[in-house]
Coordinates of all heavy atoms in Angstrom, one line a residue:
M1 N -6.3 3.9 -11.0 CA -5.4 3.3 -10.2 C -4.9 2.0 -10.9 O -5.6 1.3 -11.5 CB -6.1 2.9 -8.9 CG -5.1 2.2 -7.9 SD -5.9 1.9 -6.3 CE -6.4 0.3 -6.5
R2 N -3.6 1.8 -10.7 CA -3.0 0.6 -11.2 C -3.3 -0.5 -10.3 O -2.8 -0.6 -9.2 CB -1.5 0.8 -11.4 CG -1.2 1.8 -12.5 CD 0.2 2.1 -12.6 NE 0.3 3.5 -12.2 CZ 1.4 4.1 -11.7 NH1 2.4 3.4 -11.4 NH2 1.4 5.4 -11.4
V3 N -4.2 -1.4 -10.7 CA -4.6 -2.5 -9.9 C -3.4 -3.5 -9.6 O -3.3 -4.0 -8.5 CB -5.8 -3.3 -10.5 CG1 -6.2 -4.5 -9.8 CG2 -7.0 -2.3 -10.7
R4 N -2.6 -3.6 -10.6 CA -1.5 -4.5 -10.5 C -0.6 -4.1 -9.3 O -0.1 -5.0 -8.6 CB -0.7 -4.6 -11.8 CG 0.5 -5.6 -11.8 CD 1.2 -5.6 -13.1 NE 2.3 -6.5 -13.1 CZ 3.5 -6.3 -12.6 NH1 3.8 -5.2 -12.1 NH2 4.4 -7.2 -12.7
S5 N -0.2 -2.8 -9.2 CA 0.7 -2.4 -8.1 C 0.0 -2.6 -6.8 O 0.7 -3.0 -5.8 CB 1.1 -1.0 -8.3 OG 0.0 -0.1 -8.3
A6 N -1.3 -2.3 -6.6 CA -2.0 -2.5 -5.4 C -2.1 -3.9 -5.0 O -1.9 -4.3 -3.8 CB -3.3 -1.8 -5.4
L7 N -2.3 -4.8 -6.0 CA -2.4 -6.2 -5.8 C -1.1 -6.8 -5.4 O -1.0 -7.6 -4.4 CB -3.0 -6.9 -7.0 CG -3.2 -8.4 -6.9 CD1 -4.3 -8.7 -5.8 CD2 -3.7 -9.0 -8.2
L8 N 0.0 -6.4 -6.0 CA 1.3 -6.8 -5.7 C 1.7 -6.4 -4.3 O 2.2 -7.3 -3.5 CB 2.3 -6.2 -6.7 CG 3.8 -6.5 -6.4 CD1 4.1 -8.0 -6.6 CD2 4.7 -5.7 -7.3
Y9 N 1.4 -5.2 -3.9 CA 1.7 -4.8 -2.5 C 1.0 -5.6 -1.5 O 1.5 -6.0 -0.5 CB 1.4 -3.3 -2.4 CG 1.8 -2.7 -1.0 CD1 3.1 -2.6 -0.6 CD2 0.8 -2.4 -0.2 CE1 3.4 -2.2 0.7 CE2 1.0 -1.9 1.1 CZ 2.4 -1.8 1.5 OH 2.6 -1.3 2.8
T10 N -0.3 -5.8 -1.8 CA -1.1 -6.6 -0.8 C -0.6 -8.0 -0.7 O -0.5 -8.5 0.4 CB -2.6 -6.6 -1.3 OG1 -3.1 -5.3 -1.5 CG2 -3.5 -7.4 -0.4
V11 N -0.3 -8.6 -1.8 CA 0.3 -10.0 -1.7 C 1.6 -10.1 -1.0 O 1.8 -11.0 -0.2 CB 0.4 -10.6 -3.2 CG1 1.2 -11.9 -3.2 CG2 -1.0 -10.8 -3.8
L12 N 2.5 -9.1 -1.2 CA 3.7 -9.1 -0.5 C 3.6 -8.8 1.0 O 4.3 -9.4 1.8 CB 4.7 -8.0 -1.2 CG 5.2 -8.4 -2.6 CD1 6.0 -7.2 -3.1 CD2 6.0 -9.6 -2.5
R13 N 2.6 -8.0 1.3 CA 2.4 -7.7 2.8 C 1.8 -9.0 3.4 O 2.2 -9.3 4.6 CB 1.4 -6.6 2.9 CG 1.9 -5.2 2.8 CD 2.8 -4.8 4.0 NE 2.3 -4.9 5.3 CZ 1.9 -3.9 6.0 NH1 1.9 -2.7 5.6 NH2 1.5 -4.1 7.2
L14 N 0.9 -9.7 2.7 CA 0.4 -10.9 3.3 C 1.5 -12.0 3.5 O 1.6 -12.7 4.5 CB -0.7 -11.5 2.4 CG -2.1 -10.8 2.6 CD1 -3.1 -11.3 1.5 CD2 -2.6 -11.1 4.0
A15 N 2.4 -12.0 2.5 CA 3.5 -13.0 2.6 C 4.4 -12.6 3.7 O 5.0 -13.5 4.4 CB 4.2 -13.0 1.2
A16 N 4.6 -11.3 3.9 CA 5.5 -10.9 5.0 C 4.9 -11.3 6.4 O 5.7 -11.3 7.4 CB 5.7 -9.4 4.9
F17 N 3.6 -11.5 6.5 CA 3.0 -11.9 7.7 C 2.9 -13.4 7.8 O 3.2 -14.0 8.8 CB 1.6 -11.3 7.9 CG 0.8 -11.9 9.0 CD1 1.1 -11.5 10.3 CD2 -0.1 -12.8 8.8 CE1 0.4 -12.1 11.4 CE2 -0.9 -13.4 9.8 CZ -0.6 -13.0 11.1
L18 N 2.5 -14.1 6.7 CA 2.2 -15.5 6.7 C 3.4 -16.4 6.8 O 3.4 -17.4 7.4 CB 1.3 -15.9 5.5 CG -0.1 -15.3 5.5 CD1 -0.8 -15.6 4.2 CD2 -0.9 -15.9 6.7
V19 N 4.5 -16.0 6.2 CA 5.7 -16.8 6.2 C 6.3 -16.8 7.6 O 6.5 -17.9 8.2 CB 6.8 -16.3 5.2 CG1 8.1 -16.9 5.4 CG2 6.3 -16.5 3.8
P20 N 6.5 -15.7 8.3 CA 6.9 -15.8 9.7 C 5.9 -16.6 10.6 O 6.3 -17.3 11.5 CB 7.1 -14.4 10.2 CG 7.3 -13.6 9.0 CD 6.5 -14.3 7.9
F21 N 4.7 -16.3 10.4 CA 3.6 -17.0 11.2 C 3.7 -18.5 11.0 O 3.7 -19.3 12.0 CB 2.3 -16.5 10.9 CG 1.2 -17.1 11.7 CD1 1.0 -16.7 13.0 CD2 0.3 -18.0 11.2 CE1 0.0 -17.3 13.8 CE2 -0.7 -18.5 11.9 CZ -0.9 -18.2 13.3
G22 N 3.9 -18.9 9.7 CA 4.0 -20.4 9.5 C 5.2 -21.0 10.1 O 5.2 -22.1 10.6
L23 N 6.3 -20.2 10.0 CA 7.6 -20.8 10.6 C 7.5 -20.9 12.1 O 7.9 -21.8 12.7 CB 8.7 -19.9 10.2 CG 9.2 -19.9 8.7 CD1 10.2 -18.9 8.5 CD2 9.6 -21.3 8.4
M24 N 6.8 -19.9 12.7 CA 6.6 -19.9 14.2 C 5.7 -21.0 14.6 O 5.8 -21.6 15.7 CB 6.2 -18.6 14.7 CG 7.3 -17.6 14.8 SD 6.8 -16.1 15.6 CE 6.4 -15.1 14.2
M25 N 4.7 -21.4 13.8 CA 3.8 -22.4 14.1 C 4.5 -23.8 14.1 O 3.9 -24.8 14.6 CB 2.6 -22.4 13.2 CG 1.7 -21.2 13.4 SD 1.2 -20.9 15.1 CE 0.1 -22.3 15.3
L26 N 5.7 -23.9 13.5 CA 6.4 -25.2 13.5 C 7.1 -25.4 14.9 O 7.4 -26.5 15.2 CB 7.5 -25.1 12.5 CG 7.0 -25.1 11.0 CD1 8.2 -25.0 10.0 CD2 6.2 -26.4 10.7
I27 N 7.2 -24.4 15.7 CA 7.8 -24.5 17.0 C 6.7 -24.9 18.0 O 5.6 -24.3 18.1 CB 8.4 -23.1 17.5 CG1 9.5 -22.7 16.5 CG2 9.0 -23.3 18.9 CD1 10.0 -21.3 16.7
P28 N 6.9 -26.0 18.7 CA 5.8 -26.6 19.5 C 5.2 -25.6 20.6 O 4.0 -25.6 20.8 CB 6.4 -27.8 20.2 CG 7.6 -28.2 19.3 CD 8.1 -26.9 18.7
I29 N 6.1 -24.9 21.3 CA 5.6 -24.0 22.3 C 4.7 -22.9 21.8 O 3.7 -22.5 22.3 CB 6.7 -23.5 23.2 CG1 6.2 -22.8 24.5 CG2 7.6 -22.5 22.5 CD1 5.6 -23.7 25.5
L30 N 5.1 -22.4 20.6 CA 4.4 -21.3 20.0 C 3.1 -21.8 19.3 O 2.2 -21.0 19.1 CB 5.2 -20.6 18.9 CG 6.4 -19.7 19.5 CD1 7.2 -19.1 18.4 CD2 5.8 -18.6 20.4
R31 N 3.0 -23.1 19.1 CA 1.8 -23.7 18.6 C 0.6 -23.6 19.6 O -0.5 -23.4 19.3 CB 2.0 -25.1 18.1 CG 1.0 -25.6 17.1 CD 1.3 -27.0 16.6 NE 2.7 -27.0 16.0 CZ 3.4 -28.1 16.1 NH1 3.0 -29.2 16.7 NH2 4.7 -28.2 15.6
E32 N 1.0 -23.7 20.9 CA 0.0 -23.6 21.9 C -0.4 -22.1 22.1 O -1.6 -21.9 22.3 CB 0.6 -24.1 23.3 CG 0.7 -25.6 23.4 CD 1.2 -26.0 24.7 OE1 0.8 -25.3 25.7 OE2 2.0 -26.9 24.8
Y33 N 0.5 -21.2 22.0 CA 0.2 -19.8 22.1 C 0.2 -19.2 20.7 O 1.0 -18.3 20.4 CB 1.2 -19.1 23.0 CG 1.3 -19.7 24.4 CD1 2.3 -20.5 24.8 CD2 0.2 -19.4 25.3 CE1 2.3 -21.0 26.1 CE2 0.3 -19.9 26.6 CZ 1.3 -20.7 27.0 OH 1.3 -21.2 28.2
Y34 N -0.8 -19.5 19.9 CA -0.9 -19.1 18.5 C -1.1 -17.5 18.5 O -0.6 -16.9 17.5 CB -2.0 -19.8 17.8 CG -3.4 -19.5 18.3 CD1 -4.1 -18.4 17.9 CD2 -3.9 -20.3 19.3 CE1 -5.4 -18.1 18.4 CE2 -5.1 -20.1 19.8 CZ -5.9 -19.0 19.4 OH -7.1 -18.7 19.9
W35 N -1.7 -17.0 19.5 CA -1.9 -15.5 19.5 C -0.6 -14.8 19.6 O -0.4 -13.7 19.1 CB -2.9 -15.1 20.6 CG -2.5 -15.6 22.0 CD1 -2.8 -16.8 22.5 CD2 -1.6 -14.9 22.9 NE1 -2.2 -16.9 23.8 CE2 -1.5 -15.8 24.0 CE3 -1.0 -13.7 22.9 CZ2 -0.8 -15.4 25.1 CZ3 -0.2 -13.4 24.0 CH2 -0.1 -14.2 25.1
L36 N 0.4 -15.4 20.4 CA 1.7 -14.8 20.5 C 2.5 -14.9 19.2 O 3.2 -14.0 18.8 CB 2.5 -15.5 21.6 CG 3.7 -14.9 22.1 CD1 3.5 -13.5 22.7 CD2 4.4 -15.8 23.2
S37 N 2.3 -16.0 18.5 CA 2.9 -16.1 17.2 C 2.3 -15.1 16.2 O 3.1 -14.5 15.4 CB 2.6 -17.5 16.6 OG 3.2 -18.5 17.4
A38 N 1.0 -14.8 16.3 CA 0.4 -13.9 15.4 C 0.9 -12.5 15.7 O 1.2 -11.7 14.8 CB -1.1 -13.9 15.6
I39 N 1.1 -12.1 17.0 CA 1.7 -10.8 17.3 C 3.1 -10.7 16.8 O 3.5 -9.7 16.2 CB 1.6 -10.6 18.9 CG1 0.2 -10.4 19.3 CG2 2.4 -9.4 19.3 CD1 0.0 -10.4 20.8
F40 N 3.9 -11.7 17.1 CA 5.3 -11.6 16.6 C 5.4 -11.6 15.1 O 6.2 -10.8 14.5 CB 6.1 -12.8 17.1 CG 6.5 -12.8 18.5 CD1 6.6 -13.9 19.3 CD2 6.7 -11.5 19.2 CE1 6.9 -13.9 20.6 CE2 7.0 -11.5 20.5 CZ 7.1 -12.6 21.3
A41 N 4.5 -12.4 14.4 CA 4.5 -12.3 12.9 C 4.1 -11.0 12.4 O 4.6 -10.5 11.4 CB 3.6 -13.4 12.4
A42 N 3.1 -10.3 13.1 CA 2.7 -9.0 12.7 C 3.8 -8.0 12.8 O 4.0 -7.1 11.9 CB 1.5 -8.6 13.5
L43 N 4.6 -8.1 13.9 CA 5.7 -7.2 14.1 C 6.8 -7.4 13.1 O 7.4 -6.5 12.5 CB 6.2 -7.3 15.5 CG 5.3 -6.8 16.6 CD1 5.9 -7.1 18.0 CD2 5.1 -5.3 16.5
I44 N 7.1 -8.7 12.8 CA 8.1 -9.0 11.8 C 7.6 -8.6 10.4 O 8.4 -8.0 9.6 CB 8.4 -10.5 11.8 CG1 9.1 -10.9 13.1 CG2 9.2 -10.9 10.6 CD1 9.2 -12.4 13.4
G45 N 6.3 -8.8 10.1 CA 5.8 -8.4 8.8 C 5.8 -6.9 8.6 O 6.2 -6.4 7.5
L46 N 5.5 -6.1 9.7 CA 5.6 -4.7 9.6 C 7.0 -4.2 9.4 O 7.2 -3.3 8.6 CB 5.0 -4.1 10.9 CG 5.1 -2.6 11.0 CD1 4.2 -1.9 10.0 CD2 4.7 -2.1 12.4
S47 N 7.9 -4.8 10.1 CA 9.3 -4.4 9.9 C 9.8 -4.7 8.5 O 10.5 -3.9 7.9 CB 10.2 -5.2 10.9 OG 9.8 -4.9 12.2
L48 N 9.5 -5.9 8.0 CA 9.9 -6.3 6.7 C 9.3 -5.4 5.6 O 10.0 -5.0 4.7 CB 9.5 -7.7 6.4 CG 10.3 -8.8 7.1 CD1 9.8 -10.2 6.8 CD2 11.8 -8.7 6.7
S49 N 8.1 -5.0 5.8 CA 7.4 -4.1 4.8 C 8.0 -2.7 4.8 O 8.1 -2.1 3.8 CB 5.9 -4.1 5.0 OG 5.6 -3.5 6.2
L50 N 8.3 -2.2 6.0 CA 9.0 -0.9 6.1 C 10.3 -0.9 5.4 O 10.7 0.1 4.8 CB 9.1 -0.5 7.5 CG 7.8 0.0 8.2 CD1 8.0 0.3 9.7 CD2 7.2 1.2 7.5
L51 N 11.1 -2.0 5.6 CA 12.4 -2.1 5.0 C 12.4 -2.4 3.5 O 13.2 -1.8 2.8 CB 13.2 -3.2 5.7 CG 13.6 -2.9 7.2 CD1 14.2 -4.1 7.8 CD2 14.5 -1.7 7.2
F52 N 11.6 -3.3 3.1 CA 11.8 -3.8 1.7 C 10.6 -3.5 0.8 O 10.8 -3.7 -0.4 CB 11.9 -5.3 1.8 CG 13.1 -5.8 2.5 CD1 13.0 -6.5 3.7 CD2 14.4 -5.5 2.1 CE1 14.1 -6.9 4.4 CE2 15.5 -5.9 2.8 CZ 15.4 -6.6 3.9
L53 N 9.5 -3.0 1.2 CA 8.4 -2.8 0.3 C 8.1 -1.3 0.1 O 6.9 -0.9 -0.2 CB 7.1 -3.5 0.9 CG 7.2 -5.0 1.1 CD1 5.9 -5.6 1.6 CD2 7.6 -5.7 -0.3
R54 N 9.1 -0.5 0.2 CA 8.9 0.9 0.0 C 8.5 1.2 -1.5 O 7.6 2.0 -1.7 CB 10.2 1.7 0.3 CG 10.2 3.1 0.0 CD 10.0 4.1 1.1 NE 10.6 3.6 2.3 CZ 10.1 3.9 3.5 NH1 9.0 4.6 3.6 NH2 10.7 3.5 4.6
R55 N 9.1 0.6 -2.4 CA 8.8 0.9 -3.8 C 7.4 0.4 -4.2 O 6.7 1.2 -4.9 CB 9.8 0.3 -4.7 CG 9.7 0.7 -6.1 CD 10.9 0.2 -6.9 NE 11.1 1.1 -8.1 CZ 11.9 0.8 -9.0 NH1 12.7 -0.3 -8.9 NH2 12.1 1.6 -10.0
P56 N 7.0 -0.8 -3.9 CA 5.6 -1.2 -4.2 C 4.6 -0.3 -3.5 O 3.5 0.0 -4.1 CB 5.5 -2.6 -3.7 CG 6.9 -3.1 -3.7 CD 7.7 -2.0 -3.4
L57 N 4.9 0.2 -2.3 CA 4.0 1.1 -1.6 C 3.9 2.4 -2.3 O 2.8 3.0 -2.5 CB 4.4 1.3 -0.2 CG 3.6 2.3 0.7 CD1 2.2 1.8 0.8 CD2 4.3 2.5 2.0
E58 N 5.0 2.9 -2.8 CA 5.0 4.2 -3.5 C 4.2 4.1 -4.8 O 3.5 5.0 -5.2 CB 6.4 4.7 -3.8 CG 7.1 5.2 -2.5 CD 8.6 5.5 -2.8 OE1 9.0 5.3 -3.9 OE2 9.2 6.0 -1.9
D59 N 4.3 2.9 -5.5 CA 3.6 2.7 -6.7 C 2.1 2.7 -6.5 O 1.3 3.2 -7.2 CB 4.0 1.4 -7.4 CG 5.4 1.5 -8.0 OD1 5.9 2.7 -8.1 OD2 6.0 0.5 -8.2
A60 N 1.7 2.0 -5.4 CA 0.3 1.8 -5.1 C -0.3 3.2 -4.7 O -1.4 3.5 -5.1 CB 0.1 0.8 -4.0
T61 N 0.4 3.9 -3.9 CA -0.1 5.2 -3.4 C -0.1 6.3 -4.6 O -1.0 7.1 -4.6 CB 0.7 5.8 -2.2 OG1 2.1 5.8 -2.6 CG2 0.5 4.9 -1.0
A62 N 0.8 6.1 -5.5 CA 0.8 7.0 -6.6 C -0.4 6.8 -7.5 O -1.0 7.7 -8.0 CB 2.1 6.9 -7.5
G63 N -0.8 5.5 -7.6 CA -2.0 5.2 -8.4 C -3.2 5.7 -7.7 O -4.1 6.2 -8.4
L64 N -3.3 5.6 -6.4 CA -4.4 6.2 -5.6 C -4.5 7.7 -5.7 O -5.5 8.3 -5.9 CB -4.3 5.8 -4.2 CG -4.6 4.3 -3.8 CD1 -4.3 4.0 -2.4 CD2 -6.1 4.0 -4.1
A65 N -3.3 8.4 -5.6 CA -3.3 9.8 -5.7 C -3.7 10.3 -7.1 O -4.4 11.3 -7.3 CB -1.9 10.4 -5.4
E66 N -3.3 9.5 -8.1 CA -3.6 9.9 -9.5 C -5.1 9.7 -9.7 O -5.7 10.5 -10.4 CB -2.9 8.9 -10.4 CG -3.1 9.1 -11.9 CD -2.4 8.1 -12.7 OE1 -1.1 8.0 -12.6 OE2 -3.0 7.3 -13.4
R67 N -5.7 8.8 -9.1 CA -7.1 8.6 -9.2 C -7.9 9.6 -8.5 O -9.0 10.0 -8.9 CB -7.5 7.2 -8.6 CG -8.9 6.8 -8.9 CD -9.1 5.4 -8.4 NE -10.5 5.0 -8.5 CZ -11.0 3.9 -8.0 NH1 -10.2 3.1 -7.3 NH2 -12.3 3.7 -8.2
R68 N -7.4 10.2 -7.4 CA -8.1 11.2 -6.6 C -8.1 12.6 -7.2 O -9.0 13.4 -7.0 CB -7.6 11.3 -5.2 CG -8.1 10.2 -4.3 CD -7.6 10.5 -2.9 NE -8.3 11.6 -2.3 CZ -9.3 11.6 -1.5 NH1 -9.7 10.4 -1.1 NH2 -9.9 12.6 -0.9
T69 N -7.1 12.9 -8.0 CA -7.0 14.2 -8.6 C -8.1 14.4 -9.6 O -8.3 13.5 -10.5 CB -5.6 14.5 -9.2 OG1 -5.4 13.4 -10.2 CG2 -4.5 14.4 -8.2
P70 N -8.8 15.5 -9.5 CA -9.9 15.7 -10.5 C -9.3 16.0 -11.9 O -8.3 16.7 -12.1 CB -10.6 17.0 -10.0 CG -9.5 17.7 -9.2 CD -8.6 16.6 -8.6
R71 N -10.0 15.4 -12.8 CA -9.6 15.6 -14.2 C -10.5 16.5 -14.9 O -11.7 16.4 -14.8 CB -9.6 14.2 -15.0 CG -8.6 13.2 -14.4 CD -8.6 12.0 -15.3 NE -7.8 11.0 -14.6 CZ -8.2 9.7 -14.4 NH1 -9.3 9.3 -14.9 NH2 -7.3 8.9 -13.9
L72 N -9.9 17.5 -15.5 CA -10.8 18.5 -16.2 C -11.0 18.1 -17.7 O -10.1 17.6 -18.3 CB -10.1 19.9 -16.2 CG -9.8 20.5 -14.9 CD1 -9.0 21.8 -15.0 CD2 -11.1 20.8 -14.2
S73 N -12.2 18.2 -18.1 CA -12.5 17.9 -19.5 C -12.0 19.1 -20.4 O -11.7 20.1 -19.9 CB -14.0 17.7 -19.7 OG -14.7 18.9 -19.5
D74 N -12.0 18.8 -21.7 CA -11.6 19.9 -22.6 C -12.5 21.1 -22.5 O -12.0 22.2 -22.6 CB -11.6 19.3 -24.0 CG -10.5 18.3 -24.3 OD1 -9.5 18.3 -23.5 OD2 -10.6 17.5 -25.2
E75 N -13.8 20.8 -22.3 CA -14.7 22.0 -22.3 C -14.4 22.8 -21.0 O -14.5 24.0 -21.1 CB -16.2 21.4 -22.2 CG -16.6 20.8 -23.5 CD -17.9 20.0 -23.3 OE1 -18.5 20.1 -22.2 OE2 -18.4 19.5 -24.4
Q76 N -14.1 22.2 -19.9 CA -13.8 22.9 -18.7 C -12.5 23.8 -18.8 O -12.5 24.9 -18.4 CB -13.7 22.0 -17.5 CG -15.0 21.4 -17.1 CD -14.8 20.3 -16.1 OE1 -13.8 19.6 -16.0 NE2 -15.9 20.1 -15.3
V77 N -11.5 23.2 -19.5 CA -10.3 23.9 -19.7 C -10.5 25.1 -20.7 O -10.1 26.2 -20.4 CB -9.2 23.0 -20.3 CG1 -8.0 23.8 -20.7 CG2 -8.9 21.9 -19.3
E78 N -11.3 24.9 -21.7 CA -11.6 26.0 -22.6 C -12.4 27.1 -21.9 O -12.2 28.3 -22.1 CB -12.4 25.5 -23.8 CG -11.5 24.6 -24.7 CD -12.4 23.9 -25.8 OE1 -13.6 24.1 -25.8 OE2 -11.8 23.2 -26.6
D79 N -13.4 26.7 -21.1 CA -14.2 27.7 -20.4 C -13.4 28.5 -19.4 O -13.5 29.7 -19.2 CB -15.3 27.0 -19.6 CG -16.4 26.4 -20.5 OD1 -16.5 26.9 -21.7 OD2 -17.2 25.6 -20.0
A80 N -12.4 27.8 -18.7 CA -11.5 28.5 -17.8 C -10.6 29.5 -18.6 O -10.4 30.6 -18.1 CB -10.7 27.5 -17.0
A81 N -10.2 29.1 -19.8 CA -9.3 30.0 -20.5 C -10.1 31.2 -21.0 O -9.6 32.3 -21.1 CB -8.7 29.3 -21.7
I82 N -11.4 31.0 -21.4 CA -12.2 32.1 -21.8 C -12.6 33.1 -20.7 O -12.6 34.3 -20.8 CB -13.5 31.6 -22.5 CG1 -13.1 30.9 -23.8 CG2 -14.5 32.7 -22.7 CD1 -14.3 30.2 -24.5
D83 N -12.8 32.5 -19.5 CA -13.3 33.3 -18.4 C -12.1 34.1 -17.7 O -12.4 35.1 -17.0 CB -13.9 32.4 -17.3 CG -15.2 31.8 -17.8 OD1 -15.8 32.4 -18.7 OD2 -15.6 30.8 -17.2
E84 N -10.9 33.7 -18.0 CA -9.8 34.5 -17.4 C -9.7 35.8 -18.0 O -9.8 36.0 -19.3 CB -8.5 33.7 -17.6 CG -8.3 32.5 -16.8 CD -7.0 31.8 -17.0 OE1 -6.1 32.4 -17.7 OE2 -6.8 30.7 -16.5
P85 N -9.4 36.9 -17.2 CA -9.2 38.2 -17.8 C -7.9 38.2 -18.6 O -7.0 37.5 -18.3 CB -9.2 39.1 -16.6 CG -8.8 38.3 -15.5 CD -9.3 36.9 -15.8
P86 N -7.8 39.0 -19.6 CA -6.6 39.0 -20.4 C -5.4 39.6 -19.6 O -5.7 40.5 -18.7 CB -6.9 39.9 -21.6 CG -8.1 40.7 -21.2 CD -8.8 39.9 -20.2
A87 N -4.3 39.1 -19.8 CA -3.1 39.6 -19.0 C -2.7 41.0 -19.5 O -2.8 41.3 -20.7 CB -1.9 38.6 -19.3
P88 N -2.4 41.9 -18.5 CA -2.1 43.3 -18.9 C -0.8 43.3 -19.7 O 0.2 42.6 -19.3 CB -2.0 44.0 -17.6 CG -1.8 42.9 -16.5 CD -2.4 41.7 -17.1
T89 N -0.7 44.1 -20.7 CA 0.5 44.2 -21.5 C 1.2 45.4 -21.0 O 0.6 46.5 -20.6 CB 0.2 44.3 -23.0 OG1 -0.7 45.4 -23.2 CG2 -0.4 43.0 -23.5
A90 N 2.5 45.4 -21.0 CA 3.3 46.5 -20.5 C 3.7 47.5 -21.6 O 3.6 47.4 -22.7 CB 4.6 45.9 -19.8

């Protein structure tokens, strides 16, 4: 897995939440109801990530999918080629 792409996506997602949350905490009424600010910031962060973070998400998931696919060793490939029956000739 490419650690850089996963780390970049994580940092951008955190920024998409923390920046709106910080801006809302500047408003006096929302400072009292910090839980409401957190809910709004989560909704804004989710919306921003769906709109603008598609490419970093694809890079991170491609790295995860690449890591999950089993890799065959040379010996396994050779054994599979030997075990296959010969193709019928016409």
Side-chain angles (χ1 to χ4, degrees):
M1 180 174 98
R2 289 174 247 155
V3 176
R4 183 180 182 276
S5 61
L7 185 64
L8 175 69
Y9 181 69
T10 303
V11 168
L12 290 174
R13 280 292 303 257
L14 281 172
F17 171 76
L18 291 175
V19 169
F21 184 71
L23 291 174
M24 281 189 264
M25 292 308 289
L26 295 174
I27 301 170
I29 190 71
L30 290 177
R31 204 175 305 147
E32 286 183 36
Y33 299 107
Y34 63 89
W35 54 271
L36 192 59
S37 297
I39 291 172
F40 286 149
L43 292 173
I44 291 169
L46 177 67
S47 301
L48 289 174
S49 68
L50 287 175
L51 291 173
F52 299 113
L53 299 182
R54 172 103 35 212
R55 190 172 205 188
L57 175 63
E58 288 174 358
D59 291 343
T61 55
L64 287 172
E66 179 181 301
R67 187 175 176 191
R68 279 188 70 104
T69 56
R71 296 184 188 134
L72 297 176
S73 67
D74 289 339
E75 294 171 358
Q76 291 171 332
V77 172
E78 290 170 0
D79 290 343
I82 291 172
D83 292 340
E84 287 182 10
T89 56

